[in-house]
Amino acid sequence: MVSREIIEKAKEFHGHVCPFLVLGLRISEIAMEKLGLRKAGLAETVEEEVIAIVEVNNCMVDGVQIATGCTLGNNSLIYLDLGKNAVTLIKRDSKKGVRIYIDSEKLRSKYFPQEALELFRKVVVERSGSREDIEKLSKLWEEIGYRMADLPEDEFVIQEVEVFEDIERAPIYPSVRCSRCGELVMEPKAVKINSETLCPVCAGAEFNAVIGRGIVKLRRIPYKQIA
Ligand SMILES: [Zn+2]
Ligand SMILES: [Zn+2]
């Protein structure tokens, strides 16, 4: 069961308590238990010994990062742009892992009061809620969140998995200097035009970005320098 203490920690990180934040904590906890793991510490995060693979970028991912210690920054979190509520935790040395999938439709009908769902539609989907509606929704959402802390295992789909392909460890690349803006850029991201070395921005090259709807190709950064 997810402790209040870790929910508080997750709240501090995520900004609020919501159902999927706590679900992220809960399924991480189940996966860690099954693999005999504790939250990743010094050795695991430096060596990338434990890997969490998420299939969506929503509130759940913050719960996973807090519970497992596998984060975007320590390269132990892999994001697959699949749009599914699932987390796979993998122990690199044994190549064994556990994937846990959340059927949100099933949970919604069982644990989410109708009132909360209607408010959600009004406030979030239609963006037409009053201030009162927003406050009420956040309270209801938080309550549902706390309920997710002790969901039994059989509310989830739990699969044992085996890694058949090596998961690359984050490589260390040298940097090169862009001859136009003068900033350093990781070598594989640099673009050679004629004999000039340019960063992707100065080269006007396409690059990948993670935004709300997933991984997309961009050709322009969405801001410009004004001072
Ligand atoms: Zn959230
Ligand atoms: Zn540049």
Side-chain angles (χ1 to χ4, degrees), residues 14 16-18 21 59:
H14 183 62
H16 58 260
V17 175
C18 64
L21 178 70
C59 300

Side-chain angles (χ1 to χ4, degrees), residues 74-118:
N74 65 26
N75 296 124
S76 300
L77 183 82
I78 294 178
Y79 166 50
L80 308 180
D81 191 8
L82 298 173
K84 292 199 210 177
N85 287 311
V87 174
T88 305
L89 205 60
I90 285 170
K91 258 167 104 169
R92 206 190 271 279
D93 59 353
S94 68
K95 292 182 180 263
K96 290 269 188 288
V98 171
R99 177 177 183 266
I100 303 186
Y101 165 77
I102 301 170
D103 190 319
S104 56
E105 220 167 70
K106 190 175 128 192
L107 293 187
R108 247 201 315 269
S109 62
K110 221 164 149 181
Y111 297 98
F112 288 46
Q114 199 54 38
E115 188 193 9
L117 294 173
E118 270 157 29

Side-chain angles (χ1 to χ4, degrees), residues 161-172:
V161 302
E162 194 176 60
V163 179
F164 60 86
E165 217 170 75
D166 244 5
I167 298 171
E168 179 185 289
R169 282 186 165 80
I172 311 287

